[in-house]
Coordinates of all heavy atoms in Angstrom, one line a residue:
M1 N -86.1 79.1 -36.0 CA -86.8 78.3 -37.0 C -86.7 76.8 -36.7 O -85.6 76.4 -36.2 CB -86.2 78.6 -38.4 CG -87.1 78.3 -39.5 SD -86.4 78.6 -41.1 CE -86.0 80.3 -41.1
K2 N -87.7 76.1 -36.9 CA -87.7 74.7 -36.6 C -86.7 73.9 -37.5 O -86.5 74.3 -38.7 CB -89.1 74.1 -36.8 CG -90.1 74.6 -35.8 CD -90.8 73.4 -35.1 CE -91.9 73.8 -34.2 NZ -91.6 74.6 -33.2
R3 N -86.1 72.9 -36.9 CA -85.1 72.2 -37.7 C -85.6 71.6 -39.0 O -84.9 71.6 -40.0 CB -84.5 71.1 -36.7 CG -83.3 70.4 -37.3 CD -82.8 69.4 -36.4 NE -81.7 69.9 -35.7 CZ -80.9 69.2 -34.9 NH1 -81.1 67.9 -34.8 NH2 -79.8 69.7 -34.3
W4 N -86.8 71.0 -38.9 CA -87.3 70.4 -40.1 C -87.6 71.4 -41.2 O -87.4 71.0 -42.4 CB -88.6 69.6 -39.8 CG -89.8 70.4 -39.4 CD1 -90.2 70.7 -38.1 CD2 -90.7 71.1 -40.2 NE1 -91.3 71.6 -38.1 CE2 -91.6 71.8 -39.4 CE3 -90.9 71.2 -41.6 CZ2 -92.6 72.6 -39.9 CZ3 -91.9 72.0 -42.1 CH2 -92.8 72.7 -41.3
L5 N -87.9 72.6 -40.8 CA -88.1 73.6 -41.9 C -86.8 73.9 -42.6 O -86.7 74.1 -43.8 CB -88.8 74.8 -41.2 CG -89.1 75.9 -42.2 CD1 -90.1 75.4 -43.3 CD2 -89.8 77.1 -41.5
L6 N -85.8 74.0 -41.8 CA -84.4 74.3 -42.4 C -84.1 73.2 -43.4 O -83.5 73.4 -44.4 CB -83.4 74.3 -41.3 CG -83.3 75.7 -40.5 CD1 -82.2 75.5 -39.4 CD2 -82.9 76.8 -41.5
M7 N -84.4 71.9 -43.0 CA -84.1 70.8 -43.8 C -84.8 70.9 -45.2 O -84.3 70.7 -46.2 CB -84.4 69.5 -43.1 CG -83.3 68.9 -42.4 SD -83.7 67.4 -41.6 CE -84.1 66.4 -43.0
V8 N -86.1 71.2 -45.1 CA -86.9 71.3 -46.3 C -86.4 72.4 -47.2 O -86.2 72.2 -48.4 CB -88.4 71.6 -45.9 CG1 -89.2 72.0 -47.2 CG2 -89.0 70.4 -45.2
L9 N -86.0 73.5 -46.6 CA -85.4 74.6 -47.4 C -84.1 74.2 -48.1 O -83.9 74.5 -49.2 CB -85.2 75.9 -46.5 CG -86.4 76.6 -46.0 CD1 -86.1 77.7 -45.1 CD2 -87.2 77.1 -47.2
S10 N -83.3 73.5 -47.4 CA -82.0 73.1 -48.0 C -82.2 72.1 -49.1 O -81.6 72.1 -50.1 CB -81.0 72.7 -47.0 OG -81.5 71.6 -46.3
L11 N -83.2 71.2 -48.9 CA -83.5 70.2 -49.9 C -84.1 70.9 -51.2 O -83.7 70.6 -52.3 CB -84.5 69.2 -49.4 CG -84.0 68.1 -48.5 CD1 -85.1 67.3 -48.0 CD2 -82.9 67.3 -49.2
T12 N -84.9 71.9 -51.0 CA -85.4 72.7 -52.1 C -84.3 73.3 -52.9 O -84.4 73.3 -54.1 CB -86.4 73.8 -51.5 OG1 -87.2 73.2 -50.6 CG2 -87.2 74.3 -52.7
S13 N -83.3 73.8 -52.3 CA -82.3 74.5 -53.1 C -81.4 73.5 -53.8 O -80.9 73.7 -54.9 CB -81.4 75.4 -52.2 OG -80.8 74.7 -51.2
F14 N -81.3 72.2 -53.2 CA -80.6 71.2 -53.9 C -81.4 70.8 -55.2 O -80.8 70.5 -56.2 CB -80.5 69.9 -53.1 CG -79.2 69.8 -52.4 CD1 -79.1 69.9 -51.0 CD2 -78.0 69.7 -53.1 CE1 -77.9 69.8 -50.4 CE2 -76.8 69.6 -52.5 CZ -76.7 69.7 -51.1
N15 N -82.7 70.8 -55.1 CA -83.5 70.4 -56.3 C -83.4 71.3 -57.4 O -83.5 70.9 -58.6 CB -85.0 70.2 -55.8 CG -85.2 68.9 -55.1 OD1 -84.3 68.0 -55.2 ND2 -86.2 68.8 -54.3
S16 N -83.3 72.6 -57.2 CA -83.1 73.5 -58.3 C -81.7 73.4 -58.8 O -80.9 74.3 -58.6 CB -83.5 74.9 -57.9 OG -82.6 75.3 -56.9
H17 N -81.5 72.3 -59.5 CA -80.1 71.9 -60.0 C -79.7 72.9 -61.1 O -80.2 72.9 -62.2 CB -80.2 70.5 -60.5 CG -78.9 70.0 -61.1 ND1 -77.8 69.7 -60.5 CD2 -78.7 69.9 -62.5 CE1 -76.9 69.4 -61.3 NE2 -77.4 69.4 -62.5
A18 N -78.6 73.7 -60.8 CA -78.1 74.5 -61.8 C -77.1 73.7 -62.7 O -76.4 72.9 -62.1 CB -77.4 75.7 -61.2
E19 N -77.1 73.9 -63.9 CA -76.2 73.2 -64.8 C -74.8 73.8 -64.6 O -74.6 75.0 -64.4 CB -76.5 73.5 -66.3 CG -77.9 73.0 -66.7 CD -77.8 71.5 -67.1 OE1 -77.0 71.2 -67.9 OE2 -78.7 70.7 -66.6
L20 N -73.8 72.9 -64.5 CA -72.4 73.3 -64.3 C -71.8 73.6 -65.7 O -72.2 73.1 -66.7 CB -71.6 72.1 -63.7 CG -72.1 71.7 -62.3 CD1 -71.5 70.3 -62.0 CD2 -71.7 72.7 -61.3
S21 N -70.8 74.5 -65.7 CA -70.2 74.9 -66.9 C -69.2 73.8 -67.3 O -68.7 73.0 -66.5 CB -69.4 76.2 -66.8 OG -68.3 76.0 -66.0
G22 N -68.9 73.7 -68.6 CA -67.9 72.8 -69.1 C -66.6 72.9 -68.4 O -65.9 71.9 -68.1
E23 N -66.2 74.1 -68.1 CA -64.9 74.3 -67.5 C -64.9 73.8 -66.0 O -63.9 73.1 -65.6 CB -64.5 75.8 -67.4 CG -63.1 76.1 -66.9 CD -62.8 77.6 -67.0 OE1 -63.7 78.4 -67.4 OE2 -61.6 77.9 -66.7
N24 N -66.0 74.0 -65.3 CA -66.0 73.5 -63.9 C -66.1 72.0 -63.9 O -65.4 71.3 -63.0 CB -67.3 74.0 -63.2 CG -67.1 75.4 -62.7 OD1 -66.0 75.8 -62.4 ND2 -68.1 76.1 -62.6
I25 N -66.8 71.4 -64.8 CA -66.8 69.9 -64.9 C -65.4 69.3 -65.2 O -65.0 68.4 -64.6 CB -67.9 69.4 -65.9 CG1 -69.2 69.9 -65.5 CG2 -67.8 67.9 -66.1 CD1 -70.3 69.7 -66.6
A26 N -64.7 70.0 -66.1 CA -63.4 69.5 -66.6 C -62.4 69.5 -65.4 O -61.5 68.6 -65.4 CB -62.9 70.4 -67.7
L27 N -62.6 70.4 -64.4 CA -61.7 70.3 -63.3 C -61.8 69.0 -62.6 O -60.8 68.5 -62.1 CB -62.0 71.5 -62.3 CG -61.7 72.9 -62.9 CD1 -62.2 73.9 -61.9 CD2 -60.3 73.1 -63.2
N28 N -63.0 68.4 -62.5 CA -63.2 67.1 -62.0 C -62.5 66.0 -62.8 O -61.8 65.2 -62.3 CB -64.7 66.8 -61.8 CG -64.9 65.4 -61.3 OD1 -64.1 64.9 -60.5 ND2 -66.0 64.8 -61.6
C29 N -62.6 66.1 -64.1 CA -62.0 65.2 -65.0 C -60.5 65.1 -64.8 O -59.8 64.1 -64.8 CB -62.2 65.5 -66.5 SG -64.0 65.9 -66.8
F30 N -59.9 66.3 -64.6 CA -58.4 66.4 -64.5 C -57.9 65.9 -63.1 O -56.7 65.8 -62.9 CB -58.0 67.9 -64.7 CG -58.1 68.4 -66.1 CD1 -58.6 69.6 -66.4 CD2 -57.8 67.5 -67.2 CE1 -58.8 70.1 -67.7 CE2 -58.0 68.0 -68.5 CZ -58.5 69.2 -68.7
N31 N -58.8 65.5 -62.2 CA -58.3 64.8 -61.0 C -57.7 63.5 -61.4 O -56.8 63.0 -60.7 CB -59.5 64.6 -60.0 CG -59.8 65.8 -59.2 OD1 -58.9 66.6 -58.9 ND2 -61.1 66.0 -59.0
C32 N -58.2 62.9 -62.4 CA -57.7 61.6 -62.8 C -57.0 61.6 -64.2 O -56.0 60.9 -64.3 CB -58.9 60.6 -62.9 SG -59.7 60.2 -61.4
H33 N -57.5 62.3 -65.1 CA -56.9 62.4 -66.5 C -55.9 63.5 -66.5 O -56.1 64.6 -66.1 CB -58.0 62.7 -67.5 CG -59.0 61.6 -67.7 ND1 -58.8 60.5 -68.5 CD2 -60.2 61.4 -67.1 CE1 -59.9 59.7 -68.4 NE2 -60.7 60.2 -67.6
N34 N -54.7 63.1 -67.1 CA -53.7 64.1 -67.4 C -54.1 65.1 -68.4 O -54.9 64.8 -69.4 CB -52.4 63.5 -67.8 CG -51.7 62.8 -66.7 OD1 -51.4 63.4 -65.7 ND2 -51.4 61.5 -66.8
R35 N -53.7 66.4 -68.3 CA -54.0 67.4 -69.3 C -53.3 67.1 -70.6 O -53.7 67.3 -71.7 CB -53.6 68.8 -68.8 CG -54.6 69.3 -67.8 CD -54.1 70.5 -67.1 NE -55.0 70.9 -66.0 CZ -56.0 71.8 -66.1 NH1 -56.2 72.4 -67.2 NH2 -56.7 72.1 -65.1
K36 N -52.1 66.5 -70.5 CA -51.3 66.2 -71.7 C -51.0 64.7 -71.6 O -50.9 64.1 -70.5 CB -49.9 66.9 -71.6 CG -50.1 68.4 -71.7 CD -50.3 69.0 -73.1 CE -50.6 70.5 -73.1 NZ -51.9 70.8 -73.5
P37 N -50.7 64.0 -72.8 CA -50.4 62.6 -72.8 C -49.2 62.3 -71.8 O -48.2 63.0 -71.9 CB -50.1 62.3 -74.2 CG -50.8 63.4 -75.0 CD -50.8 64.6 -74.1
A38 N -49.4 61.3 -71.0 CA -48.3 60.9 -70.1 C -48.1 59.4 -70.2 O -49.0 58.6 -70.1 CB -48.6 61.3 -68.7
A39 N -46.8 59.0 -70.5 CA -46.5 57.6 -70.7 C -46.8 56.7 -69.5 O -47.1 55.5 -69.6 CB -45.1 57.5 -71.2
N40 N -46.7 57.3 -68.3 CA -46.7 56.5 -67.1 C -48.1 56.4 -66.4 O -48.2 56.1 -65.3 CB -45.7 57.0 -66.1 CG -46.0 58.4 -65.7 OD1 -46.8 59.1 -66.3 ND2 -45.3 58.9 -64.6
S41 N -49.1 56.8 -67.2 CA -50.5 56.7 -66.6 C -51.3 55.7 -67.2 O -51.4 55.5 -68.5 CB -51.1 58.1 -66.8 OG -52.4 58.1 -66.3
A42 N -52.1 54.9 -66.4 CA -53.0 53.9 -66.9 C -54.3 54.6 -67.4 O -55.0 54.0 -68.2 CB -53.3 52.9 -65.8
I43 N -54.5 55.8 -66.9 CA -55.8 56.5 -67.4 C -55.4 57.3 -68.6 O -54.5 58.1 -68.5 CB -56.3 57.3 -66.2 CG1 -56.6 56.4 -65.0 CG2 -57.5 58.1 -66.7 CD1 -57.1 57.2 -63.8
P44 N -56.1 57.2 -69.7 CA -55.8 57.9 -70.9 C -55.9 59.4 -70.7 O -56.8 59.9 -70.0 CB -56.8 57.4 -71.9 CG -57.9 56.8 -71.2 CD -57.3 56.3 -69.9
S45 N -55.0 60.2 -71.3 CA -55.2 61.6 -71.4 C -56.3 62.0 -72.3 O -56.6 61.3 -73.2 CB -53.9 62.2 -71.9 OG -54.1 63.5 -72.4
L46 N -57.0 63.1 -72.0 CA -58.2 63.5 -72.8 C -57.7 64.4 -73.9 O -58.5 65.0 -74.6 CB -59.3 64.1 -71.9 CG -59.9 63.1 -70.9 CD1 -60.9 63.8 -70.1 CD2 -60.5 61.9 -71.6
N47 N -56.4 64.6 -74.0 CA -55.9 65.5 -75.0 C -56.1 65.0 -76.4 O -55.9 63.8 -76.7 CB -54.4 65.6 -74.7 CG -53.8 66.9 -75.3 OD1 -53.1 66.8 -76.3 ND2 -54.0 68.0 -74.7
G48 N -56.5 65.8 -77.3 CA -56.6 65.5 -78.7 C -57.9 64.7 -79.2 O -58.0 64.3 -80.3
Y49 N -58.8 64.6 -78.2 CA -60.1 64.0 -78.6 C -61.0 65.1 -79.3 O -61.0 66.2 -78.9 CB -60.9 63.5 -77.4 CG -60.4 62.2 -76.8 CD1 -59.2 62.1 -76.2 CD2 -61.2 61.1 -76.8 CE1 -58.7 60.9 -75.7 CE2 -60.8 59.9 -76.3 CZ -59.6 59.8 -75.7 OH -59.2 58.6 -75.2
S50 N -61.8 64.7 -80.3 CA -62.8 65.6 -80.8 C -63.9 65.7 -79.9 O -64.2 64.8 -79.0 CB -63.3 65.1 -82.2 OG -64.1 63.9 -82.0
R51 N -64.7 66.8 -80.1 CA -65.9 67.0 -79.2 C -66.8 65.8 -79.4 O -67.4 65.3 -78.4 CB -66.6 68.3 -79.7 CG -67.8 68.6 -79.0 CD -68.5 69.8 -79.4 NE -69.7 70.0 -78.6 CZ -70.5 71.0 -78.5 NH1 -70.1 72.1 -79.2 NH2 -71.5 71.1 -77.8
Q52 N -67.1 65.4 -80.6 CA -68.0 64.3 -80.9 C -67.6 63.0 -80.2 O -68.4 62.3 -79.6 CB -68.1 64.0 -82.4 CG -68.9 65.0 -83.2 CD -68.1 66.3 -83.5 OE1 -66.9 66.4 -83.1 NE2 -68.7 67.3 -84.0
R53 N -66.3 62.7 -80.2 CA -65.8 61.5 -79.6 C -65.9 61.5 -78.1 O -66.3 60.5 -77.5 CB -64.3 61.3 -80.0 CG -63.9 59.8 -79.8 CD -62.5 59.5 -80.3 NE -62.0 58.4 -79.5 CZ -60.7 58.1 -79.4 NH1 -59.8 58.8 -80.0 NH2 -60.4 57.1 -78.7
L54 N -65.6 62.6 -77.5 CA -65.7 62.8 -76.1 C -67.2 62.6 -75.6 O -67.5 61.9 -74.7 CB -65.2 64.1 -75.6 CG -63.7 64.3 -75.4 CD1 -63.4 65.7 -75.2 CD2 -63.2 63.5 -74.2
Q55 N -68.0 63.3 -76.4 CA -69.5 63.3 -76.0 C -70.0 61.9 -76.1 O -70.7 61.4 -75.3 CB -70.2 64.3 -76.9 CG -71.7 64.4 -76.5 CD -72.3 65.6 -77.2 OE1 -71.7 66.4 -77.8 NE2 -73.6 65.7 -77.1
Q56 N -69.7 61.2 -77.3 CA -70.2 59.9 -77.5 C -69.7 58.9 -76.4 O -70.4 58.1 -75.9 CB -69.9 59.4 -78.9 CG -70.7 58.2 -79.3 CD -72.2 58.4 -79.2 OE1 -72.7 59.3 -79.8 NE2 -72.9 57.6 -78.4
A57 N -68.4 59.1 -76.1 CA -67.8 58.2 -75.0 C -68.5 58.4 -73.7 O -68.9 57.4 -73.0 CB -66.3 58.5 -74.9
M58 N -68.8 59.6 -73.3 CA -69.5 59.9 -72.1 C -70.9 59.4 -72.1 O -71.4 58.9 -71.1 CB -69.4 61.4 -71.8 CG -68.1 62.0 -71.4 SD -67.4 61.3 -69.9 CE -68.4 62.2 -68.7
L59 N -71.6 59.6 -73.2 CA -73.0 59.1 -73.3 C -73.0 57.6 -73.2 O -73.9 57.0 -72.6 CB -73.7 59.6 -74.5 CG -73.9 61.1 -74.6 CD1 -74.5 61.5 -75.9 CD2 -74.9 61.5 -73.5
D60 N -72.0 56.9 -73.8 CA -72.0 55.5 -73.8 C -71.7 55.0 -72.3 O -72.3 54.0 -71.9 CB -70.9 54.9 -74.7 CG -71.2 55.0 -76.2 OD1 -72.4 55.3 -76.5 OD2 -70.4 54.8 -77.0
F61 N -70.9 55.7 -71.6 CA -70.6 55.4 -70.2 C -71.9 55.6 -69.4 O -72.3 54.7 -68.6 CB -69.5 56.3 -69.6 CG -68.1 55.9 -70.0 CD1 -67.3 56.9 -70.4 CD2 -67.6 54.6 -70.0 CE1 -65.9 56.7 -70.8 CE2 -66.3 54.3 -70.4 CZ -65.5 55.3 -70.8
K62 N -72.5 56.7 -69.6 CA -73.7 57.1 -68.8 C -74.9 56.1 -69.0 O -75.5 55.7 -68.1 CB -74.2 58.5 -69.2 CG -75.4 58.9 -68.4 CD -75.8 60.4 -68.8 CE -77.1 60.8 -68.1 NZ -77.5 62.2 -68.4
Y63 N -75.1 55.7 -70.3 CA -76.2 54.8 -70.6 C -75.8 53.3 -70.7 O -76.4 52.5 -71.3 CB -76.9 55.2 -71.8 CG -77.6 56.6 -71.6 CD1 -77.0 57.8 -72.2 CD2 -78.7 56.7 -70.7 CE1 -77.6 59.0 -71.9 CE2 -79.3 58.0 -70.5 CZ -78.7 59.1 -71.1 OH -79.3 60.3 -70.8
D64 N -74.6 53.0 -70.0 CA -74.2 51.6 -69.9 C -74.0 50.9 -71.2 O -74.3 49.7 -71.3 CB -75.1 50.8 -69.0 CG -75.0 51.3 -67.5 OD1 -73.9 51.6 -67.1 OD2 -76.1 51.4 -66.9
K65 N -73.5 51.6 -72.2 CA -73.2 51.0 -73.5 C -71.8 50.5 -73.6 O -71.4 49.8 -74.6 CB -73.5 52.0 -74.7 CG -74.9 52.6 -74.6 CD -75.6 52.3 -75.9 CE -77.1 52.6 -75.8 NZ -77.4 54.0 -75.7
T66 N -71.0 50.8 -72.6 CA -69.6 50.4 -72.6 C -69.3 49.8 -71.2 O -69.8 50.3 -70.2 CB -68.7 51.7 -72.7 OG1 -69.2 52.5 -73.8 CG2 -67.2 51.3 -73.0
N67 N -68.5 48.8 -71.2 CA -68.1 48.2 -69.9 C -66.9 49.0 -69.4 O -65.9 49.2 -70.1 CB -67.6 46.8 -70.1 CG -68.8 45.8 -70.0 OD1 -69.8 46.2 -69.2 ND2 -68.8 44.7 -70.7
A68 N -66.9 49.5 -68.2 CA -65.8 50.3 -67.6 C -66.0 50.2 -66.1 O -67.1 49.8 -65.6 CB -65.8 51.7 -68.1
T69 N -65.0 50.7 -65.4 CA -65.0 50.6 -63.9 C -65.6 51.9 -63.3 O -66.6 51.9 -62.7 CB -63.6 50.3 -63.4 OG1 -62.8 51.4 -63.8 CG2 -63.1 49.0 -63.8
L70 N -64.9 53.0 -63.6 CA -65.2 54.3 -62.9 C -66.1 55.2 -63.7 O -67.0 55.8 -63.2 CB -64.0 55.0 -62.6 CG -63.2 54.6 -61.4 CD1 -61.7 55.1 -61.5 CD2 -63.8 55.0 -60.1
M71 N -65.9 55.2 -65.0 CA -66.5 56.3 -65.8 C -68.1 56.2 -65.9 O -68.7 57.2 -65.9 CB -66.0 56.3 -67.3 CG -64.6 56.9 -67.3 SD -64.4 58.5 -66.6 CE -65.6 59.4 -67.6
P72 N -68.7 55.0 -65.8 CA -70.1 55.0 -65.8 C -70.7 55.7 -64.6 O -71.7 56.4 -64.7 CB -70.5 53.5 -65.8 CG -69.3 52.8 -66.4 CD -68.1 53.6 -66.0
R73 N -70.1 55.6 -63.5 CA -70.5 56.3 -62.3 C -70.4 57.8 -62.4 O -71.2 58.5 -62.0 CB -69.8 55.7 -61.1 CG -69.9 54.2 -61.0 CD -69.0 53.6 -60.0 NE -69.5 53.8 -58.6 CZ -68.9 53.4 -57.5 NH1 -67.8 52.7 -57.6 NH2 -69.4 53.6 -56.4
I74 N -69.2 58.2 -63.0 CA -69.0 59.6 -63.1 C -69.9 60.2 -64.1 O -70.5 61.3 -63.9 CB -67.5 59.8 -63.5 CG1 -66.6 59.4 -62.3 CG2 -67.2 61.2 -64.0 CD1 -65.2 59.2 -62.7
A75 N -70.1 59.5 -65.3 CA -70.9 60.1 -66.3 C -72.4 60.2 -65.9 O -73.1 61.2 -66.3 CB -70.8 59.2 -67.6
K76 N -72.8 59.3 -65.0 CA -74.2 59.4 -64.6 C -74.5 60.6 -63.7 O -75.6 61.0 -63.4 CB -74.6 58.1 -63.8 CG -74.8 56.9 -64.7 CD -75.2 55.7 -63.8 CE -75.5 54.5 -64.7 NZ -74.4 54.0 -65.5
A77 N -73.4 61.2 -63.2 CA -73.6 62.4 -62.4 C -73.9 63.7 -63.2 O -74.3 64.7 -62.6 CB -72.3 62.7 -61.6
Y78 N -73.8 63.6 -64.5 CA -74.0 64.8 -65.3 C -75.2 64.7 -66.2 O -75.5 63.6 -66.7 CB -72.8 65.1 -66.1 CG -71.6 65.4 -65.2 CD1 -70.5 64.4 -65.1 CD2 -71.5 66.5 -64.5 CE1 -69.5 64.7 -64.3 CE2 -70.4 66.8 -63.6 CZ -69.4 65.8 -63.5 OH -68.3 66.1 -62.7
S79 N -75.9 65.8 -66.5 CA -77.0 65.8 -67.5 C -76.4 65.7 -68.9 O -75.2 65.9 -69.0 CB -77.8 67.1 -67.3 OG -77.0 68.2 -67.8
D80 N -77.2 65.3 -69.8 CA -76.7 65.2 -71.2 C -76.1 66.6 -71.7 O -75.1 66.6 -72.4 CB -77.8 64.8 -72.2 CG -78.1 63.3 -71.9 OD1 -77.6 62.7 -71.0 OD2 -78.9 62.7 -72.7
S81 N -76.8 67.7 -71.3 CA -76.3 69.0 -71.7 C -74.9 69.3 -71.0 O -74.1 70.0 -71.6 CB -77.3 70.1 -71.6 OG -77.7 70.2 -70.3
E82 N -74.8 68.9 -69.8 CA -73.5 69.1 -69.1 C -72.4 68.3 -69.8 O -71.2 68.7 -70.0 CB -73.6 68.7 -67.6 CG -74.3 69.8 -66.8 CD -74.6 69.3 -65.4 OE1 -74.7 68.1 -65.1 OE2 -74.7 70.2 -64.5
I83 N -72.7 67.1 -70.3 CA -71.8 66.2 -71.0 C -71.4 66.9 -72.3 O -70.2 67.0 -72.7 CB -72.4 64.8 -71.2 CG1 -72.3 64.0 -69.9 CG2 -71.6 64.1 -72.4 CD1 -73.0 62.7 -70.0
S84 N -72.4 67.5 -73.0 CA -72.1 68.2 -74.2 C -71.1 69.4 -73.9 O -70.2 69.7 -74.7 CB -73.4 68.7 -74.8 OG -73.2 69.6 -75.9
A85 N -71.4 70.1 -72.8 CA -70.6 71.3 -72.5 C -69.1 70.9 -72.1 O -68.2 71.6 -72.6 CB -71.2 72.0 -71.3
V86 N -69.0 69.8 -71.4 CA -67.6 69.4 -71.0 C -66.9 68.9 -72.2 O -65.6 69.1 -72.4 CB -67.6 68.5 -69.8 CG1 -68.0 67.1 -70.1 CG2 -66.2 68.4 -69.2
A87 N -67.6 68.2 -73.1 CA -66.9 67.7 -74.3 C -66.4 68.9 -75.2 O -65.3 68.9 -75.7 CB -67.9 66.8 -75.1
A88 N -67.3 69.9 -75.3 CA -66.9 71.1 -76.1 C -65.7 71.7 -75.4 O -64.7 72.1 -76.1 CB -68.0 72.1 -76.1
Y89 N -65.7 71.9 -74.1 CA -64.5 72.5 -73.4 C -63.3 71.7 -73.6 O -62.2 72.3 -74.0 CB -64.9 72.7 -71.9 CG -63.7 73.3 -71.2 CD1 -63.5 74.7 -71.2 CD2 -62.8 72.5 -70.5 CE1 -62.5 75.3 -70.5 CE2 -61.8 73.1 -69.8 CZ -61.6 74.5 -69.8 OH -60.5 75.0 -69.1
L90 N -63.3 70.4 -73.3 CA -62.1 69.6 -73.4 C -61.5 69.5 -74.8 O -60.3 69.4 -74.9 CB -62.4 68.2 -72.8 CG -62.6 68.1 -71.3 CD1 -63.2 66.7 -71.0 CD2 -61.3 68.4 -70.6
S91 N -62.4 69.5 -75.8 CA -61.9 69.4 -77.2 C -61.1 70.6 -77.6 O -60.4 70.6 -78.6 CB -63.0 69.1 -78.1 OG -63.9 70.2 -78.2
Q92 N -61.2 71.7 -76.8 CA -60.5 72.9 -77.2 C -59.3 73.1 -76.3 O -58.6 74.1 -76.4 CB -61.4 74.1 -77.0 CG -62.4 74.2 -78.1 CD -63.7 75.0 -77.7 OE1 -63.6 75.8 -76.8 NE2 -64.7 74.8 -78.5
Q93 N -58.9 72.1 -75.5 CA -57.8 72.3 -74.6 C -56.5 71.8 -75.3 O -56.5 71.0 -76.1 CB -58.0 71.5 -73.3 CG -59.1 72.0 -72.5 CD -59.0 73.5 -72.3 OE1 -58.1 74.0 -71.6 NE2 -60.0 74.3 -72.8
Ligands
HEC1 C1 -61.9 58.9 -60.6 C2 -61.1 59.1 -61.7 C3 -61.7 59.6 -63.0 C4 -62.4 60.8 -63.2 C5 -62.7 61.9 -62.1 C6 -62.7 60.9 -64.6 N1 -62.2 59.8 -65.3 FE1 -62.5 59.4 -67.3 N2 -61.6 57.6 -67.0 C7 -61.1 57.0 -65.8 C8 -60.8 55.7 -66.0 C9 -60.2 54.7 -64.9 C10 -61.0 55.3 -67.3 C11 -60.9 54.0 -68.0 C12 -62.3 53.4 -68.2 C13 -62.9 52.9 -66.8 O1 -62.4 51.9 -66.3 O2 -63.8 53.6 -66.3 C14 -61.5 56.6 -67.9 C15 -61.8 56.7 -69.3 C16 -62.3 57.8 -69.9 C17 -62.6 58.0 -71.3 C18 -62.4 56.9 -72.4 C19 -61.0 57.1 -73.0 C20 -60.6 56.1 -74.0 O3 -59.9 56.4 -74.9 O4 -61.1 55.0 -73.9 C21 -63.1 59.2 -71.5 C22 -63.6 59.9 -72.8 C23 -63.2 59.8 -70.2 N3 -62.7 59.0 -69.3 C24 -63.7 61.1 -70.0 C25 -63.8 61.7 -68.7 C26 -64.4 63.0 -68.5 C27 -65.0 63.9 -69.6 C28 -64.3 63.2 -67.1 C29 -64.9 64.4 -66.4 C30 -66.3 64.6 -66.5 C31 -63.7 62.1 -66.5 N4 -63.3 61.2 -67.5 C32 -63.4 61.9 -65.2 C33 -61.0 57.7 -64.6 C34 -61.6 59.0 -64.3

């Protein structure tokens, strides 16, 4: 098969973007955020947030309503429904 055809095929499968589950997205969040409050971390733990608060914070980051360093870039990677799913998952942890 020609190389360009392979490229087109792989781009096509990228475009059919499947929504990620809240649990899968949360694994990314836990790279930086502690699962439980930790006194020695500059990054806040996401423990104890309500679903509404998490979702609103993520939407504010995504749509540049809050000044922050990393989170606006991270939030922009997710659809609004993925943000809703991860907020629901994290609020139950
Ligand atoms: C690369 C590290 C990193 C990752 C990954 C990350 N965060 Fe953050 N998060 C931060 C930092 C740093 C802050 C402080 C605000 C800023 O400067 O962006 C923050 C702040 C927040 C806040 C605001 C907390 C508060 O009380 O002000 C929320 C909510 C949040 N993150 C949620 C998430 C969620 C949900 C995910 C997963 C989708 C996630 N974060 C992934 C680093 C990260």
Side-chain angles (χ1 to χ4, degrees):
M1 204 182 295
K2 293 235 187 298
R3 184 180 263 193
W4 66 265
L5 184 54
L6 279 176
M7 267 179 64
V8 170
L9 286 175
S10 60
L11 285 175
T12 311
S13 61
F14 263 117
N15 281 339
S16 58
H17 170 77
E19 296 274 312
L20 296 167
S21 75
E23 186 175 7
N24 278 334
I25 297 169
L27 293 176
N28 179 30
C29 314
F30 291 139
N31 280 325
C32 294
H33 293 272
N34 284 305
R35 285 170 188 264
K36 299 274 175 253
N40 60 349
S41 175
I43 301 177
S45 159
L46 297 178
N47 198 257
Y49 281 69
S50 70
R51 177 182 183 168
Q52 287 77 6
R53 194 173 158 203
L54 280 170
Q55 184 167 350
Q56 194 56 54
M58 289 298 284
L59 291 173
D60 287 350
F61 286 133
K62 181 175 175 181
Y63 294 107
D64 294 318
K65 304 240 166 70
T66 316
N67 275 329
T69 56
L70 282 162
M71 286 308 300
R73 305 168 77 177
I74 291 165
K76 284 179 177 66
Y78 298 108
S79 69
D80 289 5
S81 62
E82 285 171 333
I83 285 175
S84 172
V86 75
Y89 177 82
L90 286 170
S91 66
Q92 285 158 19
Q93 296 309 295

